[in-house]
């Protein structure tokens, strides 16, 4: 089984503050294998606890882009999965 790694999880954050508590954030990144080669068609999910917030699929260059309303100080997870690869999860706290 191959291993998928996250080369850039939080490559860009475009934030628009709403009432100082919520922010529309765009989370983009790139999925690569252990040889730093891009991995296409990876399912990318943004989660809060067990709640699904948004999802997408990496493109042919391994790039993905997700948008969601996030709260400061809350833990979120980015989950990656694709057939033939080990699934992984990256947890982060929105600043």
């Amino acid at each position: 089984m191959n291993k998928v790694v996250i080369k850039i999880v939080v490559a860009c954050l475009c934030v628009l503050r709403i009432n100082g508590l919520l922010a529309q954030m765009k989370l983009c990144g790139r999925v690569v294998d252990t040889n730093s080669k891009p991995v296409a068609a990876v399912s990318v999910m943004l989660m809060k606890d067990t709640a699904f917030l948004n999802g997408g699929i990496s493109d042919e260059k391994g790039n993905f882009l997700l948008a969601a309303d996030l709260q400061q100080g809350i833990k979120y997870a980015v989950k990656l999965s694709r057939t033939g690869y080990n699934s992984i999860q990256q947890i982060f706290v929105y600043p």
Side-chain angles (χ1 to χ4, degrees):
M1 194 133 322
N2 294 316
K3 183 178 181 183
V4 173
V5 295
I6 303 174
K7 185 166 190 171
I8 305 170
V9 173
V10 183
C12 59
L13 293 176
C14 303
V15 178
L16 213 136
R17 298 210 179 266
I18 303 170
N19 295 332
L21 298 175
L22 294 177
Q24 179 68 41
M25 182 188 99
K26 292 183 182 176
L27 174 72
C28 62
R30 185 169 185 231
V31 183
V32 297
D33 64 17
T34 54
N35 296 315
S36 295
K37 293 184 180 178
V39 182
V42 174
S43 173
V44 182
M45 297 183 296
L46 179 62
M47 309 286 292
K48 177 183 171 190
D49 297 319
T50 59
F52 173 82
L53 299 178
N54 200 349
I57 303 291
S58 64
D59 66 16
E60 67 280 350
K61 294 180 181 177
N63 298 317
F64 65 88
L65 176 65
L66 305 175
D69 291 331
L70 303 182
Q71 296 175 319
Q72 292 178 329
I74 302 295
K75 284 185 186 179
Y76 296 92
V78 175
K79 295 184 178 182
L80 304 174
S81 62
R82 181 177 177 213
T83 303
Y85 289 82
N86 293 330
S87 296
I88 62 169
Q89 174 176 292
Q90 177 70 47
I91 296 174
F92 68 96
V93 175
Y94 182 68

